[in-house]
Amino acid sequence: MTERHDILPLVPADIDTYRQPVVYMREDCHVCRSEGFGTQSRIEIEVEGKRIIATLNVITGGDWLPQETAALSNTAWEALALQPGAVGRFSHPEPPVSASAIRTKVYGGRLDDAACRAIISDTIQRRLSDLDLAAFVTSCAGDRLDEAETIALTLAMRDAGVRLDWGRGPVLDKHCVGGLPGNRTTPIVVAIVAAAGHLIPKTSSRAITSPAGTADTMEVMAPVALDQAAMRGVVEAEGGCIVWGGGLDLSPADDMLIRIERPLDFDSEGQMVASILSKKAAAGSSHVLIDMPIGPTAKVRSYAAAKALSDRLQAVARALGQTISVNRSDGSAPVGRGIGPALEAYDVLAVLRRSPQAPADLRERALDVAGALLELVGTNGRQLAGELLDGGKAEAKFMAICAAQGGFTEPGEAPQMQPVNADRAGRITAIDNRRIAKIAKLAGAPGRKTSGVLLRTRVGDTVEIGQPLFEVHAETQGELAWALDFTASRDSPFRVEDAP
Amino acid sequence: MTERHDILPLVPADIDTYRQPVVYMREDCHVCRSEGFGTQSRIEIEVEGKRIIATLNVITGGDWLPQETAALSNTAWEALALQPGAVGRFSHPEPPVSASAIRTKVYGGRLDDAACRAIISDTIQRRLSDLDLAAFVTSCAGDRLDEAETIALTLAMRDAGVRLDWGRGPVLDKHCVGGLPGNRTTPIVVAIVAAAGHLIPKTSSRAITSPAGTADTMEVMAPVALDQAAMRGVVEAEGGCIVWGGGLDLSPADDMLIRIERPLDFDSEGQMVASILSKKAAAGSSHVLIDMPIGPTAKVRSYAAAKALSDRLQAVARALGQTISVNRSDGSAPVGRGIGPALEAYDVLAVLRRSPQAPADLRERALDVAGALLELVGTNGRQLAGELLDGGKAEAKFMAICAAQGGFTEPGEAPQMQPVNADRAGRITAIDNRRIAKIAKLAGAPGRKTSGVLLRTRVGDTVEIGQPLFEVHAETQGELAWALDFTASRDSPFRVEDAP
């Protein structure tokens, strides 16, 4: 009897709503009317046994959506794996079971194992709305997740997606707690550790809010969008890889929570730990080095915050059976010279190739991280790392990994470039990481691979009036102009003070 | 120089995103590319000095949006008051100043006056995203707003929109803390109080999640969408009115917060008090009667909750210079017979007309509320209320108010009706308010004015097998079938137990 009221053919809306499933229906459609759906209703859509919950946006005019048809946002269309001609059945969803777990946490209660598993399961199945997820993230802000809750959340996130098993160990890994432009140690560290004969199947992310993620930089030099089988082939052949983790379904809830966390920008120690370690555990890593830059414009801003975060990471890693080590580093200024995918790739290659122009700070940081990681499974890690880099074995390993991933390419160069010069003489006492990152993004990074910022000076240098502080590289004149406009309209990201 | 990069013509998208401003741009448009906007970016749009912040949804295919054009959701189009041919300037917005106030509250800090004013101002100007608002609502859940914060929030909300001044006093008002289907006392109370010679300029809301709001019910009998001048004319002529408050800009932040609060469904005592009293203060009311039904399926579920809410209401009212009284009533079952705009209007008219079939419970409740309200400004309120109702003065006043609002109309009757019968004999011991409301909504209420549920029995009645418990009224066969399907597929909203 209900068949009359709740069925409509489906078409793609071709609208990217950033992972939020949205269904578009005309206000005069019979399903809206008979079901009493209104804008912002949550609607369950079922197609051949697959179900999602989408938010309704009502079409009030125009003619892009034919009568008696529903259109789905890209995320909804993909989640249901639809083909043209699909027909959906629409109903009012039951409230997600995890809503009461979130409510409990919001009111000051605690999350147990079952609550975490329910929340993560409903997150992945998109049964929770963006508002529900925002409430969950808010209820965990600051230090509101205790150690047991953090462990429960991490385990729930780890178990919710694919778990890689490498069949042997130890499996090494690294993670940098973000916030430092240009700090692209990963390709160097993987090359050194793999050259040492260890397993290091590294998955990296693309930039979300930064001018480049490791996957963006690596992609300038070799393919990174490998599937699980291809990744496994690279690791079996070379011991290591540097691939994009986004397509591998490792801790998939993490990406969905990050989508909500980033714009809210609350620091939640528990959620940060669960995010990092669930991904590492899902990737099958047994020994993980956490690089933690500390500085006023970095993600971790004080030693007290670093200590609390390190303690929580250690406690959760123990519960997961992982060995981790935290490497605290100076996060007061950008690392290397380039900021942007290709410009950072140049720095990486210069270090691996032992070029005289290689940025010394990037080399030292990469050796520190590789050394500390090797120390987790042996002795004299720093010395071994240095030997493998200086002797060319790391370079050879990197080239072999690139070849195995699909072939190495030299990074390109942007057609547009303009230097930004010092407007006073003196000594550079600080560089604002966040502002430099913003200029690189306005110039086109990471979407435009060769765009970004090239630093010509560093903290501690003395400069004359008119001397170039940094260069803006861009692929179009428009983007170059836009980045320069922004630079000119604000205080300089370089603080220049009278030299003593 | 930037003119090249940040300007696009604007067209309406004809998409109702439920008050969330959304801008639709093609992924290949020059503004997206040069500004580095991606899906979910917050974008400031300026047209001739007016600015809003909208969320970007990227169009990835199809041809409904022409190249180099941006489309705006209905809310965004209306907020900018656009005409065809408008051109927008797009930029990255500064983070809203109130984001740090919300952050403070999320981390456990307190909201002072300035913080509340910043949050409410940014809410009204749509500078806060839905995620920001969800975080704010979450941070205030339960009892997390203390008395001083509640007062600060109420004042900020009151001052953010229009404030009506009636030039004389006292100005009487009532508010029902929702959750009870059919409890439509307002038209009767206004008629009685105005017949007593008092000023009662009542504004009411339409249904958000219920089968009928007072404005929906009143609209069956007279126009309710009056502007401020027309409302003032009615009040000056008749002493009272019953109009829709949605178009009057009274405490406009309230509606925007409710949009987020409803789907999250967290009870926040502070936000509920601020919502109620900011609207009453903006409407210029000096003496307010709060009707508070208490019951297991009502909004307020226990006497302890009622006590806490009453105390908070009294404290905030004192700070606003208002006199209030809280009338606690039985919220265990629906009131009257009809649930749905026209069916409730019948009950209202039956009481005003002293029909022998008038529902006694609705009459008693209306007299209780009117009496308690009259007591706030005099003595023997309950007796006076009874005399005005029984003597026909309330009916005459109601008809005069309807005439002044644009003319009285008798409510219509639904073309489709089917009774739902008892499947066992016994005594009715409970009726589930929420389930009855849902059946009425599935039948089409409040969108279809004559649709809804008519109760044929009440708690305490004894029934035989096959005796009608309630009727479903609908305007279309499809909606009737849908409501009956739902009814048949669940436990009955009526609990029938063996008569002792």
Side-chain angles (χ1 to χ4, degrees):
Chain A
M1 182 184 244
T2 55
E3 278 70 9
R4 297 198 300 269
H5 317 112
D6 60 353
I7 278 183
L8 276 183
L10 301 172
V11 296
D14 290 316
I15 299 180
D16 177 357
T17 51
Y18 196 29
R19 304 197 188 188
Q20 187 184 17
V22 175
V23 54
Y24 303 86
M25 294 165 100
R26 292 166 60 121
E27 58 187 341
D28 57 5
C29 97
H30 77 277
V31 170
C32 273
R33 284 162 42 183
S34 68
E35 298 269 321
F37 292 136
T39 277
Q40 207 72 353
S41 284
R42 301 278 291 160
I43 301 185
E44 184 158 310
I45 308 171
E46 188 241 299
V47 182
E48 292 169 11
K50 280 196 175 180
R51 289 160 193 279
I52 59 164
I53 298 179
T55 298
L56 175 62
N57 277 193
V58 173
I59 306 294
T60 56
D63 52 9
W64 69 267
L65 183 61
Q67 278 196 309
E68 300 303 342
T69 304
L72 298 184
S73 70
N74 298 357
T75 298
W77 186 264
E78 287 154 18
L80 288 166
L82 295 183
Q83 298 298 322
V87 170
R89 187 180 183 114
F90 296 78
S91 60
H92 294 268
E94 294 297 315
V97 290
S98 64
S100 68
I102 294 174
R103 172 183 306 272
T104 300
K105 184 69 188 161
V106 165
Y107 284 101
R110 291 186 65 258
L111 296 171
D112 60 13
D113 268 21
C116 288
R117 289 188 191 276
I119 291 167
I120 295 305
S121 164
D122 282 341
T123 300
I124 291 175
Q125 292 174 56
R126 302 173 198 281
R127 298 190 74 85
L128 292 166
S129 70
D130 282 3
L131 298 182
D132 294 327
L133 292 174
F136 173 57
V137 166
T138 302
S139 73
C140 300
D143 58 1
R144 290 229 172 94
L145 284 179
D146 66 21
E147 188 177 304
E149 288 175 299
T150 307
I151 292 170
L153 185 62
T154 308
L155 290 171
M157 289 171 70
R158 177 194 68 180
D159 296 343
V162 164
R163 289 185 62 182
L164 301 180
D165 181 353
W166 298 98
R168 61 190 174 101
V171 179
L172 278 60
D173 209 340
K174 73 160 288 259
H175 179 86
C176 181
V177 178
L180 212 50
N183 192 20
R184 200 57 61 207
T185 58
T186 294
I188 306 168
V189 171
V190 170
I192 292 171
V193 171
H198 292 293
L199 215 53
I200 182 162
K202 182 81 184 79
T203 62
S204 296
S205 55
R206 296 190 192 279
I208 300 175
T209 59
S210 71
T214 292
D216 299 308
T217 297
M218 186 67 192
E219 198 170 30
V220 173
M221 300 178 279
V224 295
L226 276 58
D227 63 17
Q228 214 195 107
M231 175 194 183
R232 208 169 269 281
V234 175
V235 174
E236 271 159 23
E238 300 299 338
C241 68
I242 305 132
V243 302
W244 175 54
L248 298 171
D249 201 36
L250 305 172
S251 190
D254 185 42
D255 297 343
M256 297 179 172
L257 291 173
I258 283 175
R259 183 175 72 85
I260 304 296
E261 289 165 7
R262 294 277 167 149
L264 285 175
D265 198 25
F266 300 145
D267 289 315
S268 163
E269 200 173 275
Q271 284 182 327
M272 197 191 299
V273 168
S275 168
I276 295 168
L277 293 184
S278 67
K279 276 257 199 272
K280 297 301 169 196
S285 312
S286 62
H287 292 72
V288 184
L289 191 283
I290 310 280
D291 187 24
M292 193 180 288
I294 303 164
T297 57
K299 178 90 185 163
V300 179
R301 302 194 187 191
S302 71
Y303 276 88
K307 170 79 168 67
L309 186 55
S310 302
D311 290 349
R312 181 58 60 87
L313 281 162
Q314 289 288 3
V316 176
R318 267 194 303 276
L320 268 70
Q322 289 176 324
T323 304
I324 69 166
S325 172
V326 177
N327 180 57
R328 295 179 203 170
S329 55
D330 173 16
S332 63
V335 177
R337 289 206 186 84
I339 291 131
L343 292 165
E344 294 180 26
Y346 275 112
D347 284 350
V348 166
L349 289 170
V351 170
L352 285 167
R353 289 168 172 163
R354 292 90 70 205
S355 156
Q357 281 79 44
D361 59 345
L362 179 62
R363 176 192 147 89
E364 288 308 306
R365 279 167 182 269
L367 288 175
D368 284 348
V369 171
L373 189 46
L374 291 170
E375 288 281 337
L376 277 177
V377 292
T379 52
N380 293 328
R382 183 61 156 77
Q383 188 190 331
L384 177 58
E387 288 165 9
L388 291 164
L389 182 62
D390 291 339
K393 291 207 170 134
E395 182 192 357
K397 178 54 79 177
F398 183 74
M399 289 299 162
I401 289 171
C402 287
Q405 288 188 196
F408 173 77
T409 313
E410 285 287 344
E413 207 164 314
Q416 308 284 336
M417 187 280 278
Q418 191 165 314
V420 174
N421 301 329
D423 57 6
R424 57 164 295 183
R427 190 181 155 87
I428 297 168
T429 57
I431 300 177
D432 184 324
N433 291 329
R434 287 160 202 254
R435 200 162 295 169
I436 282 286
K438 174 135 192 185
I439 294 168
K441 287 198 289 178
L442 290 173
R448 313 275 198 184
K449 294 293 181 192
T450 63
S451 298
V453 165
L454 186 71
L455 303 177
R456 295 281 301 270
T457 50
R458 311 205 50 77
V459 171
D461 289 355
T462 49
V463 293
E464 298 303 318
I465 288 190
Q467 183 179 332
L469 294 171
F470 62 94
E471 299 168 1
V472 179
H473 291 232
E475 299 193 2
T476 67
Q477 282 203 317
E479 287 160 318
L480 180 68
W482 182 242
L484 291 170
D485 274 5
F486 174 82
T487 307
S489 69
R490 310 294 166 105
D491 290 342
S492 170
F494 284 63
R495 197 192 307 152
V496 181
E497 296 184 281
D498 288 337
Chain B
M1 183 185 242
T2 56
E3 278 70 8
R4 296 198 300 268
H5 317 113
D6 60 353
I7 278 184
L8 276 182
L10 301 172
V11 297
D14 290 316
I15 298 180
D16 176 356
T17 51
Y18 196 27
R19 304 199 188 186
Q20 186 185 16
V22 175
V23 54
Y24 302 87
M25 295 165 100
R26 292 167 61 122
E27 58 186 341
D28 57 4
C29 97
H30 78 278
V31 169
C32 273
R33 284 163 40 183
S34 68
E35 298 269 323
F37 292 138
T39 277
Q40 207 70 354
S41 284
R42 302 278 292 160
I43 301 186
E44 184 158 311
I45 307 171
E46 188 242 300
V47 182
E48 291 169 12
K50 281 196 175 180
R51 291 161 193 277
I52 60 163
I53 297 179
T55 297
L56 175 63
N57 278 195
V58 173
I59 305 295
T60 56
D63 53 8
W64 68 268
L65 182 62
Q67 279 195 310
E68 301 301 343
T69 305
L72 299 184
S73 69
N74 297 358
T75 298
W77 186 264
E78 287 156 17
L80 287 166
L82 295 183
Q83 298 298 321
V87 170
R89 185 180 184 114
F90 296 79
S91 60
H92 294 267
E94 293 297 315
V97 289
S98 63
S100 68
I102 294 175
R103 173 183 306 272
T104 299
K105 184 67 187 162
V106 165
Y107 284 100
R110 291 185 66 258
L111 296 171
D112 60 13
D113 269 21
C116 288
R117 288 188 191 275
I119 291 168
I120 294 307
S121 163
D122 282 340
T123 299
I124 292 174
Q125 293 173 54
R126 302 174 200 280
R127 300 190 72 85
L128 291 167
S129 70
D130 281 3
L131 298 182
D132 294 328
L133 292 174
F136 173 58
V137 166
T138 302
S139 73
C140 301
D143 58 1
R144 291 229 171 94
L145 283 179
D146 67 21
E147 188 176 305
E149 287 176 299
T150 307
I151 292 169
L153 184 62
T154 308
L155 290 170
M157 289 170 70
R158 177 194 70 181
D159 295 343
V162 164
R163 289 185 64 181
L164 300 179
D165 180 352
W166 298 99
R168 60 189 173 103
V171 179
L172 279 58
D173 208 339
K174 74 161 286 264
H175 178 87
C176 181
V177 177
L180 213 48
N183 192 20
R184 202 58 60 210
T185 59
T186 295
I188 306 168
V189 171
V190 170
I192 292 171
V193 171
H198 292 292
L199 214 52
I200 182 162
K202 181 79 185 79
T203 64
S204 296
S205 54
R206 296 193 191 277
I208 300 175
T209 60
S210 72
T214 293
D216 300 307
T217 297
M218 186 66 193
E219 198 169 31
V220 172
M221 301 179 278
V224 295
L226 276 58
D227 65 17
Q228 213 195 110
M231 175 196 183
R232 208 171 270 282
V234 175
V235 174
E236 271 159 21
E238 300 299 340
C241 68
I242 304 132
V243 302
W244 176 54
L248 297 171
D249 201 36
L250 304 172
S251 189
D254 186 41
D255 296 343
M256 295 180 175
L257 290 174
I258 283 175
R259 184 175 71 85
I260 303 296
E261 289 164 8
R262 294 277 167 151
L264 286 175
D265 196 25
F266 301 145
D267 289 317
S268 164
E269 201 174 274
Q271 284 182 327
M272 198 192 299
V273 168
S275 167
I276 296 168
L277 294 184
S278 67
K279 275 255 198 274
K280 296 301 168 199
S285 311
S286 63
H287 292 72
V288 184
L289 191 284
I290 310 279
D291 187 22
M292 193 179 293
I294 303 165
T297 58
K299 179 90 185 163
V300 179
R301 302 193 188 192
S302 71
Y303 277 88
K307 170 80 167 66
L309 186 56
S310 300
D311 289 349
R312 180 61 58 87
L313 281 162
Q314 289 287 5
V316 176
R318 269 194 302 277
L320 268 71
Q322 289 176 325
T323 304
I324 70 167
S325 172
V326 177
N327 179 57
R328 296 180 202 172
S329 55
D330 173 16
S332 63
V335 177
R337 290 205 187 84
I339 293 129
L343 292 165
E344 295 180 25
Y346 275 112
D347 285 349
V348 166
L349 289 170
V351 170
L352 286 167
R353 289 166 172 165
R354 291 91 69 207
S355 154
Q357 281 79 43
D361 58 346
L362 179 63
R363 175 190 148 91
E364 287 308 307
R365 279 167 182 269
L367 288 175
D368 284 348
V369 171
L373 189 46
L374 292 170
E375 288 283 335
L376 279 177
V377 291
T379 53
N380 294 328
R382 182 63 157 76
Q383 188 190 333
L384 176 59
E387 287 166 9
L388 292 165
L389 182 62
D390 291 338
K393 292 205 170 139
E395 181 191 357
K397 178 54 78 177
F398 181 75
M399 289 299 163
I401 289 172
C402 286
Q405 288 189 196
F408 172 78
T409 314
E410 285 287 345
E413 206 165 313
Q416 308 284 334
M417 187 279 278
Q418 191 165 314
V420 174
N421 302 329
D423 57 6
R424 56 164 296 180
R427 192 182 155 86
I428 297 169
T429 57
I431 300 178
D432 185 322
N433 291 330
R434 287 161 201 251
R435 201 162 293 170
I436 283 287
K438 174 137 192 184
I439 295 168
K441 287 197 290 178
L442 290 173
R448 313 276 198 182
K449 293 294 181 191
T450 64
S451 298
V453 165
L454 186 71
L455 302 176
R456 296 280 300 271
T457 50
R458 309 205 51 78
V459 171
D461 288 355
T462 49
V463 292
E464 298 303 318
I465 288 189
Q467 183 180 334
L469 295 171
F470 62 96
E471 298 169 0
V472 179
H473 291 231
E475 299 193 1
T476 68
Q477 281 202 319
E479 286 159 320
L480 181 68
W482 184 240
L484 291 170
D485 273 5
F486 173 83
T487 306
S489 71
R490 310 292 167 108
D491 290 343
S492 170
F494 283 64
R495 196 193 308 153
V496 181
E497 297 183 281
D498 289 335

